[in-house]
Amino acid sequence: MKATPAGALPHIVIVGGGFGGLWAARALALAPLRITLIDRSNHHVFQPLLYQVAGAGLSGTDIAAPLRYILRRQRNVTVWMDEVTGIDLDARRVRTRRRSLAYDGLIVATGSTDTYFGHEHWAANAPALKTLDDALVIRRRILSAFEAAEREADPARRRQWLTFVIVGGGPTGVELAGTLLEIARHTLPREFRHAHPGDAIIHIVEAGPRLLPAMPARLAAIARRRLERLGARVHLDTAVTDVHAMGVRMAAGAIEARTVLWAAGTAASRLGRALGCELDRAGRARVEPDLSLPGHPDVFVIGDLACVTQDGTRVPGVAPAAKQMGRYAARALRGRLAGATPRPFRYRDYGTLASISRGFALVHLRGLQLHGFPGWLFWLFAHLFFLIGFRNRLAVMWNWAWSYATWQRTARVIVGHDPAAPETPISDQG
Amino acid sequence: MKATPAGALPHIVIVGGGFGGLWAARALALAPLRITLIDRSNHHVFQPLLYQVAGAGLSGTDIAAPLRYILRRQRNVTVWMDEVTGIDLDARRVRTRRRSLAYDGLIVATGSTDTYFGHEHWAANAPALKTLDDALVIRRRILSAFEAAEREADPARRRQWLTFVIVGGGPTGVELAGTLLEIARHTLPREFRHAHPGDAIIHIVEAGPRLLPAMPARLAAIARRRLERLGARVHLDTAVTDVHAMGVRMAAGAIEARTVLWAAGTAASRLGRALGCELDRAGRARVEPDLSLPGHPDVFVIGDLACVTQDGTRVPGVAPAAKQMGRYAARALRGRLAGATPRPFRYRDYGTLASISRGFALVHLRGLQLHGFPGWLFWLFAHLFFLIGFRNRLAVMWNWAWSYATWQRTARVIVGHDPAAPETPISDQG
């Protein structure tokens, strides 16, 4: 590991500014290294609250901050907004769209993306929720559907605009459904004169036998009961066979809906294919117990891009796992540079949270199970605590307090142009 | 004015939800009328602070609120998100992209749009600031230029990325320049390792002999001195003859810059041409002293779309004038429906404000002239006072206090895709 001229500090490249990459960079704060953090966007996003941006409860800037702002005091880091297009493991170089960089150590943390399991053309009619841009697209679709329903005189067509299908019953699907139910039942009704947002129908279509597969069966059943009581229609063991502009088709039957949201599939980032190693079915890199790439002890793969198995089960693709891997890889890399052999990575499971609706969340941690209001209080403080930045915390707290008191959502502003929207967008009138 | 069947309430259509249209709708709150407010967006924007969204100091949702939320308690109003494509004055019908509506009274308040004086192809390289979408485009351009400068190794090309040209020295141009200077000099420097945002050069190019033509000459000179002391280069009596991806050409000389912002021209909304009346050079409708369309006492044209002359000078295209016209037209229309003849519209000038930088603004009202910190305090409270909505006021106050204490800007997140950006945007890497 000596690609760097004598005297110069070793150069570490970190690809990706999500939880994995950012925590790795922070863990190297005091190390005598030169670090380049590359991300194709200029910001870190607090992904667990992305669905609240989609649901117009929070503004995008409440849960995102520029990477170079977060790392401004860490003088050994250069932040680089660019896209990595390839990795040359033998020459130890990372290729971006604009240049090529030599590294002494590499941490790849490009995370996951959505997959439609070979039906990628469904994306136009069923946007997924991975980035801040995705959240703004979904917000626009949801709000525009209610606007279209208000304009529509024909009852059958109005019903199509007031029908929403969420494909996937994992945490994202459940949280989106809860948000949509609240918008429809509580936020909007008084504002419409013709459409009745309260009549909106929200379907959750899940291919597996239950919601929230990462939660204990008891909590998943509670979530289902809660959602059904709020008015959602939950279809289990139901695979979607087609998504089109007017709805979805399933093995048995179809749903007519103008808004379909995709919360069903996650695959590893495409950069995994550039690693030249064995990938699992979801495209994740099979790494060594120390998270390094087989045959390349100077390259670490972490977060959602890494396939790590521990005690027979896979480490889940959640934020705490990515952070732990980021911190671990930073330490392991420093050790390697000093000639040491790192001990294997161990994931510590601190539990799983899922919010269903205002005042109702599920919590599962080490034997403790909470639901309802106590779960929600726990969820609330956990999320505030882990949000990056004092200002963001206060802003989010304030938005939540305001929404709680008024049922209002503060970010209900439709901006941007959505070329793939089912209806031609309304263009310039000025 | 009796297009409505006996027994039904008269139907008033208001086109445009800016200051003019919204104030007209509010002034009709207690009237026994059916009102339809049509806007192509779902929100009202507090335009005087749009430049702060462009400058990443405020989030779009801080200064915008859904029209149907603002009017939720006014049961005689239906809000309609749609685009008006034509008006049939004889049949008394408004045509939208989706349907046609009969009216008994019509208020046209579609405001103004940007003009490039016949060089509309400049728009791609010099975005203007009229809507929330425009503000997000400009924010993206500004932040992306600093990111590009950080990546650029060649000093000459880096200088092009750190050079900004603002075309137009009116309030928008001056406010954008002040914002850009603060971002470059105070917000960003500590975060960059290669580029020096503090070296950024901001040019203001104004075709006329002075900045801020609506202000007294003394205040305009103070504004110029202040901007130059902050580091701006002010070019007066200088017409731009070409705008391209690498900068601007002027009668004498050229400026190489990758970011050009347009604050030079305003023309009336295109809907003016559908009114079949005489238009002035900027496309504004020449209306009667009671703001009605000549020959059509049931149609009122207000705000930036109306050409109103009073005591020999034109009523300016500013928010207070639009609000006054909106309230007046509402009263006049009610009078007409009752058979009365309205007294002519009188504009009351409450003064002009312009903010230059943190702690420095200009105020001109009825003989009183303020500048510097006292002007800024006045500006601050005036803008907070007129912002719509208690929540927005608190959110903006909080953002301002935070920025004031830390020099930070809370909305520095690049989202969305800008097909017209000078550099190919960075696409999906996942």
Side-chain angles (χ1 to χ4, degrees), chain B residues 2 15 42 91 135 176 189 209 214 219 227 244 246 266 271 279 283-284 293 337 367 378 403-404 419 426:
Chain B
K2 291 274 158 55
V15 187
N42 82 327
L176 275 176
L219 288 181
L227 284 166
H244 49 93
M246 301 299 292
T266 292
L271 200 62
L279 304 178
R284 286 179 292 248
L293 201 61
L337 289 169
F378 188 94
S403 302
Y404 200 89
I426 296 178

Side-chain angles (χ1 to χ4, degrees), chain A residues 40 42-43 59 68 77 81 83-84 99 133 147 151 193 270 391 399 410 414 416 428-430, chain B residues 40 42-43 59 68 77 81 83-84 99 133 147 151 193 270 391 399 410 414 416 428-430:
Chain A
R40 63 170 188 260
N42 81 327
H43 51 272
S59 166
R68 57 175 77 260
V77 176
M81 185 178 160
E83 183 186 355
V84 170
R99 63 163 70 173
D133 280 317
E147 295 293 334
R151 282 192 304 260
R193 305 291 183 248
R270 266 174 276 140
R391 197 207 84 90
N399 276 329
T410 60
I414 301 178
D428 183 52
Q429 170 177 298
Chain B
R40 64 170 186 260
N42 82 327
H43 51 272
S59 166
R68 58 175 77 258
V77 176
M81 184 177 162
E83 182 186 355
V84 170
R99 65 162 69 171
D133 281 316
E147 295 293 333
R151 282 192 304 258
R193 305 292 183 247
R270 265 175 276 141
R391 197 209 84 92
N399 277 329
T410 59
I414 302 178
D428 183 52
Q429 170 176 298

Side-chain angles (χ1 to χ4, degrees), chain A residues 15-16 38-43 59-62 64-66 68-85 97-99 110 112-113 132-133 136 139 143-144 146-147 150-153 188-194 268-271 390-392 394-395 398-399 402 406 408-417 423-430, chain B residues 15-16 38-43 59-62 64-66 68-85 97-99 110 112-113 132-133 136 139 143-144 146-147 150-153 188-194 268-271 390-392 394-395 398-399 402 406 408-417 423-430:
Chain A
V15 187
I38 308 178
D39 197 287
R40 63 170 188 260
S41 77
N42 81 327
H43 51 272
S59 166
T61 51
D62 288 338
R68 57 175 77 260
Y69 173 69
I70 298 171
L71 294 167
R72 67 196 180 282
R73 293 205 185 87
Q74 194 174 328
R75 303 301 302 181
N76 64 356
V77 176
T78 297
V79 174
W80 194 272
M81 185 178 160
D82 203 344
E83 183 186 355
V84 170
T85 53
R97 281 170 54 124
R98 297 186 177 80
R99 63 163 70 173
T110 47
S112 56
T113 182
L132 214 44
D133 280 317
L136 298 178
R139 181 199 290 177
L143 297 177
S144 299
F146 287 105
E147 295 293 334
E150 175 81 346
R151 282 192 304 260
E152 185 58 65
L188 297 183
R190 281 199 310 173
E191 303 180 13
F192 286 75
R193 305 291 183 248
H194 303 289
S269 142
R270 266 174 276 140
L271 200 62
F390 173 71
R391 197 207 84 90
N392 288 8
L394 287 181
W398 158 251
N399 276 329
W402 180 262
T406 66
Q408 264 309 316
R409 295 176 168 258
T410 60
R412 279 172 41 217
V413 167
I414 301 178
V415 289
H417 169 87
E423 201 186 29
T424 328
I426 296 178
S427 71
D428 183 52
Q429 170 177 298
Chain B
V15 187
I38 307 178
D39 197 289
R40 64 170 186 260
S41 77
N42 82 327
H43 51 272
S59 166
T61 51
D62 288 339
R68 58 175 77 258
Y69 172 68
I70 298 170
L71 294 167
R72 67 196 180 283
R73 293 205 185 87
Q74 194 175 326
R75 304 301 301 182
N76 63 356
V77 176
T78 297
V79 175
W80 195 273
M81 184 177 162
D82 203 344
E83 182 186 355
V84 170
T85 54
R97 282 170 52 125
R98 295 185 179 81
R99 65 162 69 171
T110 48
S112 57
T113 182
L132 213 45
D133 281 316
L136 299 178
R139 181 199 291 178
L143 297 176
S144 299
F146 287 104
E147 295 293 333
E150 174 81 345
R151 282 192 304 258
E152 185 58 64
L188 298 183
R190 282 199 310 173
E191 302 180 15
F192 286 76
R193 305 292 183 247
H194 304 289
S269 143
R270 265 175 276 141
L271 200 62
F390 172 71
R391 197 209 84 92
N392 288 6
L394 288 181
W398 157 250
N399 277 329
W402 180 261
T406 64
Q408 265 309 317
R409 292 175 171 261
T410 59
R412 280 172 41 217
V413 167
I414 302 178
V415 290
H417 169 87
E423 200 186 30
T424 328
I426 296 178
S427 70
D428 183 52
Q429 170 176 298

Side-chain angles (χ1 to χ4, degrees), chain A residues 327-359:
Chain A
R327 273 193 297 256
Y328 170 87
R331 262 197 315 270
L333 193 58
R334 286 196 69 177
R336 277 274 157 74
L337 289 169
T341 303
R343 286 194 299 178
F345 170 75
R346 286 293 299 174
Y347 168 59
R348 285 173 62 94
D349 182 2
Y350 291 105
T352 321
L353 312 180
S355 150
I356 310 290
S357 64
R358 172 192 164 98

Side-chain angles (χ1 to χ4, degrees), chain A residues 207-222:
Chain A
R210 47 175 283 206
L211 297 178
L212 299 171
M215 284 271 183
R218 179 180 154 262
L219 288 181
I222 290 173

Side-chain angles (χ1 to χ4, degrees), chain A residues 57-264:
Chain A
L58 291 176
S59 166
T61 51
D62 288 338
I63 64 156
L67 284 163
R68 57 175 77 260
Y69 173 69
I70 298 171
L71 294 167
R72 67 196 180 282
R73 293 205 185 87
Q74 194 174 328
R75 303 301 302 181
N76 64 356
V77 176
T78 297
V79 174
W80 194 272
M81 185 178 160
D82 203 344
E83 183 186 355
V84 170
T85 53
I87 299 169
D88 186 338
L89 294 166
D90 297 321
R92 286 183 170 163
R93 295 192 77 88
V94 164
R95 204 167 52 247
T96 77
R97 281 170 54 124
R98 297 186 177 80
R99 63 163 70 173
S100 152
L101 285 147
Y103 63 77
D104 298 292
L106 176 65
I107 296 176
V108 186
T110 47
S112 56
T113 182
D114 290 287
T115 180
Y116 295 79
F117 308 113
H119 305 282
E120 305 309 310
H121 59 284
W122 292 355
N125 291 311
L129 184 61
K130 268 289 166 194
T131 66
L132 214 44
D133 280 317
D134 294 343
L136 298 178
V137 166
I138 290 181
R139 181 199 290 177
R140 196 154 59 217
R141 293 276 179 106
I142 293 172
L143 297 177
S144 299
F146 287 105
E147 295 293 334
E150 175 81 346
R151 282 192 304 260
E152 185 58 65
D154 177 70
R157 283 204 293 264
R158 180 176 287 167
R159 202 173 320 115
Q160 292 166 350
W161 282 115
L162 291 178
T163 305
F164 298 82
V165 177
I166 294 162
V167 184
T172 302
V174 163
E175 286 169 335
L176 275 175
T179 292
L180 252 168
L181 285 162
E182 285 189 20
I183 293 174
R185 305 281 191 269
H186 295 288
T187 308
L188 297 183
R190 281 199 310 173
E191 303 180 13
F192 286 75
R193 305 291 183 248
H194 303 289
H196 296 281
D199 295 346
I201 300 167
I202 287 101
H203 295 269
I204 303 176
V205 183
E206 164 60 42
R210 47 175 283 206
L211 297 178
L212 299 171
M215 284 271 183
R218 179 180 154 262
L219 288 181
I222 290 173
R224 182 187 174 174
R225 270 206 306 281
R226 175 75 183 174
L227 284 167
E228 287 179 337
R229 192 168 308 159
L230 290 170
R233 304 195 186 166
V234 180
H235 310 255
L236 299 178
D237 289 314
T238 306
V240 164
T241 55
D242 191 24
V243 176
H244 51 93
M246 301 299 293
V248 299
R249 261 193 286 277
M250 302 165 299
I255 303 171
E256 286 195 349
R258 298 295 295 249
T259 312
V260 181
L261 307 178
W262 189 258

